[in-house]
Amino acid sequence: MYPLAFAKEGEEVVVKSINAGYGAVQRLSSMGINIRSKIKVVRNQNGPVIVSARGSNIAIGRGLAMKIIVERESDE
Amino acid sequence: MSDKYEIALIGNPNVGKSTLFNALTGENVYIGNWPGVTVEKKEGEFEYNGKKFKVVDLPGVYSLTADSIDEIIARDYIINEKPDLVVNIADATALERNLYLTLQLMEMGANILLVLNKMDLANKLGMEIDINKLEKILGIKVVPISAVKKIGIEDLKKAILETVKNKKSAEIRYPHFEPYIKKIISILEKDEGLKKYNLRYLAIKLLENDKYVLDIVKNSSILGKLKPILDDMMKELSKKYGEAELGIVEERYKVIDKIVEEVVKKKSGKLTTTQMLDDVLTDEKVGILLLIPFLWMLFKFTFDVSGPFSAMIDYIFSFLAEVVKSSISNEFISSLLADGIISGVGAVLVFFPILAFLFFALSFLEDSGYMARIPFIADRFMNKFGLPGKAIIPLVMGFGCNVPAIMATRTMENEKDRILTILINPLMSCSARLPIYALFAGAFFSAYQGLVVLSMYALGVVLALIIAAIFRKFVFKTSPSYLIVELPSYQIPHLNIVLKNTWERVYSFLRKAGTIIVFGVILVWLLSVYGPSGYLGVEALENPQILANSYVAVIGKTLSPIFSPMGWDWKACSALLFGVVAKEVVVGSLAMLYGVGEEGLSNLIVNAFTPVSAYAYMAFCLIYLPCIATLAVIKQEIGWKWAIFALVYEVVLAYIVALTITVVGNLIF
């Protein structure tokens, strides 16, 4: 398990936990990123991370991406 | 019994809600603000089969958990205003995520009609959606449309007419949660005061740890009974789901997954053009390199294309003023009309082309999908100064004019981020300050003109970033909100949508900021033609000897001791007062006060200033009071309190910077 910010581009991961405040967690989950959801990392360079979740692309600030803990899908 | 129904439009951002709103309502649109907040409220009307419908456009939201002002507005509206029908617009190509909001609406017990927009696009992607099955599962009416191509609009109107009358709410069941929900409802039922709410909604929200609903229940008689049971439930849920409030989220998605599985054939693939463009446009290095020309184009387009139109308006109003002056014999009235009211109205209308072209460009970028990528690219850099990525656009726009720049902050959802971005915006050196720099740089630093002018722009940017970091730390005491933004697919912008957006925004500026600007111009006029000895005559505006007795001069003379360390005379101080009307007026006022034409001015100010005091004066002009129009728009966007705060901090900052320049400059030279 590692933060989303460390995931590689093209990697498919499962969200394990989101250690952010109530507001950020609710917002993420309303956009399709909640615990146990599968997301694909589209872009991860030095800035925010772009993931593809439930059919749409979402950019997540790097600070928040550090608080989203994920696991590689095949590990499960 | 009135034959007018109230319906609300709601949906995720980027689902084409505005397009549908326009398609339904046509020209009958009223724009105001939601009570108590500066978020735009759009209302329109249409008639169908002899029935009238009032359409309220709710802000674009992903959910109704209410962690942003938009969600609070949407939720409160549905709960308190109880519209006859809630029209939920979903993007057919991203049904999976869009249904999340639909489920929440159903939880609230609203009378819902689901509209699947972008059906043409979904079909193109090879998706098939079984509308009948979806209707059956959800228990609500579903209408497929394409708002852009105006397909299905008549069907929708018909469906609206049908569903608006027989109000019913369909229930959505969450298998793993039903026992909890039932138990909570059985307790809530015992309080008569809670009966006005949808109890199922309250129960679900309690399990989600929703503050708003917790507050409702806190004041009820059953709290003592409910609390221990709810606490137990939450403990149980925490074990199952990690965090209790996330359990219901997972349940909603489970229900959605099941629906999508049954209803949608062939899941949506990604749009390849979007993928290809994003490979380039969101690349860490290439993206930034490409952002600069994009912003430059935005900037050039706004100010260069609008330039001739602004000049024309300026010309027309000075012409009008001349006509009035020569045709009305009463000097006081003719000057009040010409120099006060007409030039005041002119000062407002000069902004019209600038705003029109800016908003056109912004709407164009927004509709194309690129706009959402800009904060993504800028986020990292801006965060270092306590600013969110979205602040980049208003700051760049500020180089042209702070008025449209401040209005461009409307895209920021977080109120604190937005206030902060507005507060520092006047430090971005707008084009009206350029004549001041040009005058002084030409007169004192002819060898280094370009460099000196550039240093002013740089000073503004550096100060803006420093002030942002300081305010973030000491005034707002929060971090900039996390970037969470959907990157919509790229598309070719729709001209009619772009034009409509543009007009709506420009109109709201003219209506709201106009009066303050006109008032300000008239005030300065009054201060010029009146003095402690009474009415001086309108000659004061042309004759420096008479103007020397006016209130403007009195204020200038009162101020001059304060500015004596910088070595500015009272005329320079009075000119600053005129600069409040518009910064470019400073040069003309200096010319008038020194009793020379603008051509002879540079020779004269060489005697009145030293190079150091001139440089300090330029810096002061950059920083002190924003012009009356900027002040008006700050007030319009974030209220008097912050407008006064901006005014005070800028004057103080201007003084400190000018003094520092003087002290340091005099030590060196």
Side-chain angles (χ1 to χ4, degrees):
Chain A
M1 289 207 288
Y2 48 90
L4 175 63
F6 295 162
K8 290 189 189 64
E9 287 185 7
E11 208 172 328
E12 294 194 16
V13 295
V14 178
V15 178
K16 283 288 160 190
S17 66
I18 305 173
N19 306 321
Y22 185 81
V25 171
Q26 288 294 343
R27 190 163 166 78
L28 282 173
S29 49
S30 68
M31 295 175 84
I33 299 169
N34 63 307
I35 292 174
R36 276 185 271 274
S37 66
K38 287 174 197 164
I39 56 180
K40 186 177 174 187
V41 181
V42 175
R43 166 91 54 214
N44 186 6
Q45 294 169 333
N46 276 316
V49 180
I50 301 178
V51 298
S52 165
R54 293 178 208 276
S56 46
N57 280 0
I58 292 157
I60 300 169
R62 198 157 192 85
L64 186 55
M66 289 297 291
K67 298 182 171 181
I68 301 174
I69 307 299
V70 298
E71 195 172 74
R72 203 164 299 135
E73 210 187 345
S74 53
D75 291 359
E76 256 193 323
Chain B
M1 176 71 201
S2 79
D3 256 3
K4 192 168 176 181
Y5 296 104
E6 188 161 323
I7 65 176
L9 292 192
I10 193 166
N12 287 187
N14 309 315
V15 294
K17 197 159 57 71
S18 313
T19 320
L20 179 63
F21 179 82
N22 292 344
L24 280 178
T25 59
E27 300 305 311
N28 305 314
V29 176
Y30 170 79
I31 301 177
N33 278 344
W34 289 93
V37 288
T38 52
V39 179
E40 222 167 63
K41 181 185 193 183
K42 269 208 298 195
E43 284 176 17
E45 269 182 12
F46 73 93
E47 253 187 69
Y48 184 78
N49 260 4
K51 300 276 191 293
K52 270 194 178 157
F53 295 90
K54 178 177 153 193
V55 188
V56 177
D57 192 23
L58 295 175
V61 292
Y62 292 101
S63 83
L64 292 165
T65 314
D67 85 276
S68 74
I69 187 81
D70 288 348
E71 290 180 11
I72 292 171
I73 288 170
R75 178 199 63 196
D76 287 357
Y77 177 82
I78 294 170
I79 291 183
N80 300 329
E81 305 296 318
K82 296 194 176 72
D84 296 302
L85 178 69
V86 176
V87 178
N88 175 205
I89 302 142
D91 181 343
T93 66
L95 194 60
E96 216 179 327
R97 199 204 52 223
N98 279 247
L99 282 177
Y100 191 79
L101 179 64
T102 311
L103 292 197
Q104 290 200 321
L105 289 167
M106 291 175 71
E107 287 167 18
M108 293 174 92
N111 182 23
I112 313 171
L113 171 67
L114 180 62
V115 178
L116 295 188
N117 192 17
K118 306 193 188 177
M119 278 307 281
D120 53 327
L121 209 64
N123 292 337
K124 227 195 250 169
L125 290 168
M127 290 171 70
E128 263 176 61
I129 300 173
D130 190 335
I131 304 285
N132 290 331
K133 214 172 199 179
L134 186 57
E135 274 186 345
K136 215 177 265 166
I137 298 174
L138 291 174
I140 56 178
K141 179 116 185 99
V142 181
V143 184
I145 66 161
S146 165
V148 171
K149 298 198 169 149
K150 300 221 161 119
I151 299 171
I153 304 295
E154 279 304 304
D155 293 343
L156 174 59
K157 284 184 180 172
K158 210 173 124 199
I160 288 174
L161 183 64
E162 277 167 23
T163 45
V164 85
K165 276 183 279 185
N166 46 349
K167 280 194 197 183
K168 56 163 188 174
S169 50
E171 238 169 48
I172 196 88
R173 306 216 152 255
Y174 299 117
H176 294 103
F177 272 69
E178 289 310 319
Y180 301 111
I181 295 171
K182 276 208 187 97
K183 188 152 192 193
I184 296 177
I185 290 177
S186 71
I187 300 170
L188 294 176
E189 269 170 352
K190 296 193 177 109
D191 188 297
E192 282 300 315
L194 293 175
K195 288 253 164 88
K196 64 178 169 180
Y197 298 101
N198 181 319
L199 295 185
R200 193 176 160 81
Y201 167 70
L202 293 187
I204 292 172
K205 282 289 158 185
L206 283 172
L207 291 170
E208 204 176 354
N209 214 356
D210 183 279
K211 270 208 193 82
Y212 174 76
V213 172
L214 281 173
D215 277 347
I216 292 175
V217 177
K218 236 172 224 160
N219 299 320
S220 73
S221 55
I222 44 88
L223 181 71
K225 196 156 179 250
L226 178 70
K227 205 168 179 313
I229 294 173
L230 191 62
D231 284 348
D232 277 352
M233 286 180 182
M234 294 305 258
K235 256 186 224 144
E236 214 178 305
L237 289 172
S238 300
K239 269 186 214 143
K240 258 196 226 168
Y241 294 97
E243 260 162 278
E245 58 257 40
L246 294 178
I248 191 78
V249 176
E250 212 174 310
E251 277 299 297
R252 285 189 195 118
Y253 279 119
K254 268 187 196 151
V255 170
I256 291 169
D257 285 344
K258 226 173 161 186
I259 296 173
V260 170
E261 204 176 297
E262 284 193 48
V263 168
V264 183
K265 259 191 221 153
K266 193 183 177 188
K267 284 197 174 177
S268 74
K270 275 268 93 186
L271 288 176
T272 46
T273 32
T274 291
Q275 232 163 40
M276 268 156 36
L277 280 171
D278 265 348
D279 274 348
V280 179
L281 291 175
T282 65
D283 183 83
E284 188 193 356
K285 294 180 187 83
V286 186
I288 293 173
L289 283 178
L290 286 173
L291 177 64
I292 295 164
F294 267 117
L295 290 177
W296 177 247
M297 266 154 42
L298 175 73
F299 185 80
K300 286 303 268 184
F301 175 79
T302 304
F303 296 105
D304 288 6
V305 182
S306 67
F309 295 99
S310 289
M312 234 153 67
I313 291 172
D314 204 27
Y315 178 81
I316 292 169
F317 276 88
S318 18
F319 176 76
L320 259 178
E322 283 307 311
V323 172
V324 166
K325 269 190 183 164
S326 58
S327 57
I328 296 176
S329 54
N330 183 317
E331 272 189 338
F332 181 82
I333 292 173
S334 81
S335 178
L336 172 65
L337 279 174
D339 302 316
I341 295 165
I342 292 179
S343 57
V345 174
V348 178
L349 287 181
V350 158
F351 286 105
F352 181 85
I354 305 176
L355 285 167
F357 285 101
L358 166 76
F359 287 132
F360 181 84
L362 285 180
S363 305
F364 190 87
L365 282 184
E366 221 170 288
D367 207 37
S368 74
Y370 183 63
M371 189 67 117
R373 271 89 181 167
I374 295 178
F376 166 80
I377 300 162
D379 198 56
R380 206 172 139 82
F381 174 78
M382 301 300 278
N383 275 189
K384 292 192 174 128
F385 301 97
L387 291 166
K390 284 190 174 175
I392 186 104
I393 294 162
L395 291 186
V396 172
M397 296 315 304
F399 284 129
C401 173
N402 302 123
V403 170
I406 285 168
M407 290 181 76
T409 61
R410 287 191 164 199
T411 54
M412 305 167 74
E413 309 95 2
N414 183 291
E415 192 64 8
K416 282 182 179 172
D417 289 353
R418 183 157 173 256
I419 293 171
L420 178 60
T421 310
I422 291 177
L423 287 179
I424 59 165
N425 200 283
L427 295 172
M428 304 305 284
S429 208
C430 72
S431 53
R433 278 116 157 177
L434 190 60
I436 308 175
Y437 307 155
L439 170 71
F440 284 90
F444 290 94
F445 312 98
S446 54
Y448 304 101
Q449 257 189 71
L451 204 64
V452 168
V453 171
L454 195 68
S455 74
M456 279 296 129
Y457 281 85
L459 178 66
V461 175
V462 171
L463 283 174
L465 293 177
I466 294 173
I467 293 291
I470 292 173
F471 281 179
R472 177 59 80 181
K473 191 145 189 217
F474 297 105
V475 181
F476 296 102
K477 297 178 182 150
T478 51
S479 332
S481 59
Y482 287 125
L483 178 80
I484 310 175
V485 63
E486 186 187 353
L487 305 181
S489 305
Y490 292 101
Q491 60 172 12
I492 295 167
H494 305 96
L495 192 63
N496 54 344
I497 298 169
V498 170
L499 284 175
K500 206 166 158 121
N501 276 339
T502 304
W503 166 246
E504 281 166 2
R505 293 181 191 173
V506 174
Y507 178 73
S508 93
F509 163 77
L510 292 180
R511 210 164 46 93
K512 290 182 195 154
T515 40
I516 297 180
I517 300 172
V518 175
F519 177 75
V521 173
I522 294 173
L523 182 69
V524 173
W525 177 81
L526 282 172
L527 290 175
S528 313
V529 297
Y530 279 94
S533 59
Y535 181 54
L536 302 170
V538 295
E539 295 81 17
L541 294 173
E542 272 126 41
N543 187 330
Q545 269 88 38
I546 300 176
L547 190 63
N549 296 317
S550 69
Y551 282 115
V552 171
V554 170
I555 297 171
K557 283 170 188 164
T558 318
L559 288 177
S560 66
I562 306 173
F563 293 116
S564 60
M566 285 80 128
W568 306 336
D569 59 14
W570 73 265
K571 292 171 181 169
C573 298
S574 292
L576 291 174
L577 199 66
F578 285 106
V580 176
V581 171
K583 297 263 169 133
E584 66 265 40
V585 176
V586 169
V587 174
S589 311
L590 279 173
M592 185 177 77
L593 287 156
Y594 286 112
V596 289
E598 284 187 28
E599 312 77 43
L601 187 59
S602 63
N603 297 326
L604 226 140
I605 58 167
V606 175
N607 303 321
F609 290 85
T610 66
V612 171
S613 78
Y615 195 79
Y617 194 73
M618 287 160 73
F620 194 87
C621 285
L622 160 67
I623 308 163
Y624 88 115
L625 295 193
C627 71
I628 188 85
T630 304
L631 217 51
V633 83
I634 295 177
K635 186 252 145 192
Q636 173 199 313
E637 294 298 317
I638 51 178
W640 275 121
K641 196 184 90 186
W642 287 113
I644 290 166
F645 181 85
L647 196 149
V648 172
Y649 102 77
E650 282 178 317
V651 172
V652 172
L653 181 68
Y655 191 85
I656 294 170
V657 172
L659 191 65
T660 311
I661 290 172
T662 312
V663 172
V664 175
N666 284 336
L667 281 176
I668 299 173
F669 301 105

